């Protein structure tokens, strides 16, 4: 089953579903007393690689590749049928993919990767068709929003054989600022960011191999790579951070997808704790999909043979013992290379 993409406010979700050999979009309404699903099938089935993105007004953005052109449209239910508003197309030689839902839920963006640069496009919510917003030197991937307005976007940029996360200011013609660099040679990627607490989830090979770590946006403390985020022979991927924990990044609950030989299950972790809680995933979970409420309830969409649209609610485990900080900050005047265990989250986000 394909994962679902959820709006930042949790009101709607969308996914590409399969019925027999055919693919079609679905819109899930999540802010009603009982969640429900509306199929948005068009006149013909969609291709498996078609992308969909929910908007907070209930419409669903669809991205199709048609005759080498990337086309965009808004879908909405009209009784038994599906209405469609064409938005235009983007022509590019490389790959183009939708970015995660924007914080305001009224706009949608896409990333077009070229041979030497990457273009950021506004594909829904503009005044007329797709609008080119910025050209970022280098090949970029990922995409994490750093503020509540949709102005600052973090991208993982490949340059000189390494990957570093940069911040792109979309209101300053794509002005680029360094955001994450743990060592000069390491690949450092930003996976998730929470605008309330500033908590960042990072993947880096700075410790010698890929590890999950965490830091704080705008903070001076080092990036840390807890042993509790390592599981032997398993892939661990964070997919949601608890919002509403203003200035309390250590207490934020983080939801993790765990994939191993035994299947797929859940992990819940907080930076302040020494351990990860492992939980059974609900049957039919759309693996990797979910969001936290401010009250610390993890909402997980699932589909079974008898439940076409379900949301399991998992309360966050009570916070355990807090791990005291063990890493001392080097004096600001030190000019020598910073050791790995003290490597800070460097760089700044361009200010307005």
């Amino acid at each position: 089953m394909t994962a679902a993409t959820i709006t930042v406010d949790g009101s709607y979700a969308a996914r590409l579903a399969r019925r027999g050999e055919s693919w079609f979009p679905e819109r899930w309404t999540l802010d009603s007393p009982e969640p429900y699903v509306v199929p948005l099938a068009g006149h013909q089935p969609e291709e498996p690689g078609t992308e969909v993105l929910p908007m907070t007004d209930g419409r669903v953005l669809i991205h199709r590749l048609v005759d080498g052109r990337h086309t965009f449209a808004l879908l909405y239910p009209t009784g038994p049928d599906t209405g469609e508003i064409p938005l235009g197309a983007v022509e590019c030689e490389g790959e183009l993919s939708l970015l995660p839902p924007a914080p305001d839920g009224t706009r949608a963006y896409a990333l077009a990767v070229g041979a030497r640069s990457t273009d950021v496009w506004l594909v829904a919510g503009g005044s007329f068709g797709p609008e080119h917003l910025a050209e970022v030197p280098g090949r970029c991937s990922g995409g994490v929003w750093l503020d509540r307005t949709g102005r600052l976007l973090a991208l993982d940029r490949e340059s000189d054989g390494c990957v570093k996360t940069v911040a792109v200011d979309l209101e300053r013609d794509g002005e680029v600022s360094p955001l994450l660099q743990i060592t000069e040679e390491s690949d450092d990627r930003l996976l998730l960011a929470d605008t309330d607490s500033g908590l960042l989830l990072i993947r880096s090979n700075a410790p010698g191999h890929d590890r999950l770590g965490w830091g704080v946006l705008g903070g001076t403390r080092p990036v840390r790579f807890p042993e509790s985020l390592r599981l032997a022979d398993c892939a661990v991927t964070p997919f949601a951070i608890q919002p509403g924990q203003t200035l309390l990044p250590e207490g934020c609950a983080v939801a993790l997808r765990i994939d191993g030989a035994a299947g797929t299950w859940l992990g819940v972790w907080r930076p302040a704790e020494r351990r990860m809680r492992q939980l059974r995933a609900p049957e039919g979970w759309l693996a990797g999909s979910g969001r936290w409420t401010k009250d610390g309830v993890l909402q997980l969409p699932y589909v079974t043979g008898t439940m076409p649209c379900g949301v399991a609610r998992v309360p966050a485990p009570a916070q355990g013992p807090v791990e005291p900080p063990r890493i001392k900050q080097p004096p600001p005047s030190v000019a020598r290379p910073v050791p790995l265990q003290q490597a800070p989250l460097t760089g700044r986000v361009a200010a307005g």
Side-chain angles (χ1 to χ4, degrees), residues 192 237-241 254-257 266-267 285 288-291 298 300:
L192 292 176
T237 307
F239 65 89
I241 301 176
V254 178
L256 306 142
R257 170 180 173 169
L266 286 167
W285 177 40
S289 307
R291 67 178 296 271
L298 181 59
L300 302 171

Side-chain angles (χ1 to χ4, degrees), residues 144-148 190-201 215-217 240-249 252-254 292:
V144 176
W145 296 104
L146 298 175
D147 65 346
R148 296 183 182 89
L190 180 62
L191 305 181
L192 292 176
D194 176 63
T195 56
D196 294 325
S197 64
L199 178 63
L200 306 177
L201 270 294
V216 179
L217 184 65
I241 301 176
Q242 180 185 359
Q245 308 301 298
T246 305
L247 304 179
L248 296 172
C252 287
V254 178
W292 288 102

Side-chain angles (χ1 to χ4, degrees), residues 77-113:
T78 57
D81 300 319
T82 300
E84 182 169 330
I85 302 174
L87 297 178
V90 172
E91 295 189 24
C92 62
E93 295 182 359
E95 299 177 359
L96 185 145
S97 58
L98 295 177
L99 285 166
D104 65 4
T106 63
R107 293 172 290 177
Y109 300 81
L111 209 61
V113 183

Side-chain angles (χ1 to χ4, degrees), residues 84-348:
E84 182 169 330
I85 302 174
L87 297 178
V90 172
E91 295 189 24
C92 62
E93 295 182 359
E95 299 177 359
L96 185 145
S97 58
L98 295 177
L99 285 166
D104 65 4
T106 63
R107 293 172 290 177
Y109 300 81
L111 209 61
V113 183
R116 296 182 178 85
S117 64
T118 301
D119 294 317
V120 182
W121 288 83
L122 174 67
V123 295
S127 54
F128 55 90
E131 300 177 24
H132 182 264
L133 298 180
E135 181 179 2
V136 182
R139 294 176 59 84
C140 296
S141 59
V144 176
W145 296 104
L146 298 175
D147 65 346
R148 296 183 182 89
T149 66
R151 171 179 177 175
L152 298 175
L153 174 67
L155 297 174
D156 300 327
R157 180 171 67 176
E158 182 181 351
S159 179
D160 298 326
C162 295
V163 178
K164 306 293 182 188
T165 302
V166 297
V168 180
D169 191 331
L170 298 181
E171 292 187 5
R172 288 191 174 180
D173 298 322
E175 179 182 278
V176 176
S177 299
L179 181 67
L180 180 62
Q181 178 173 309
I182 300 177
T183 71
E184 290 186 3
E185 299 81 14
S186 58
D187 293 325
D188 310 317
R189 293 177 170 86
L190 180 62
L191 305 181
L192 292 176
D194 176 63
T195 56
D196 294 325
S197 64
L199 178 63
L200 306 177
L201 270 294
I202 295 153
R203 190 181 299 279
S204 173
N205 60 5
H209 55 277
D210 272 350
R211 291 277 301 274
L212 284 179
W214 70 280
V216 179
L217 184 65
T220 57
R221 295 282 304 277
V223 174
R224 279 142 285 184
F225 297 93
E227 287 295 320
S228 56
L229 287 177
R230 299 181 67 187
L231 291 179
D233 301 321
C234 291
V236 180
T237 307
F239 65 89
I241 301 176
Q242 180 185 359
Q245 308 301 298
T246 305
L247 304 179
L248 296 172
E250 291 85 357
C252 287
V254 178
L256 306 142
R257 170 180 173 169
I258 305 172
D259 294 286
T264 299
W265 62 100
L266 286 167
V268 175
W269 171 85
R270 290 183 177 91
E273 296 183 336
R274 297 175 181 267
R275 63 176 178 138
M276 179 201 306
R277 320 292 180 95
Q278 298 184 48
L279 307 171
R280 184 187 301 274
E283 180 187 357
W285 177 40
L286 305 180
S289 307
R291 67 178 296 271
W292 288 102
T293 67
K294 292 184 178 181
D295 298 330
V297 177
L298 181 59
Q299 299 177 329
L300 302 171
Y302 68 92
V303 173
T304 66
T306 58
M307 179 62 71
C309 175
V311 176
R313 293 171 172 82
V314 181
Q319 185 167 335
V322 175
E323 180 178 1
R326 298 182 179 182
I327 304 173
K328 296 181 179 179
Q329 281 292 97
S333 59
V334 172
R336 59 178 172 76
V338 180
L340 173 63
Q341 65 269 24
Q342 295 177 338
L345 185 70
T346 59
R348 64 176 182 85

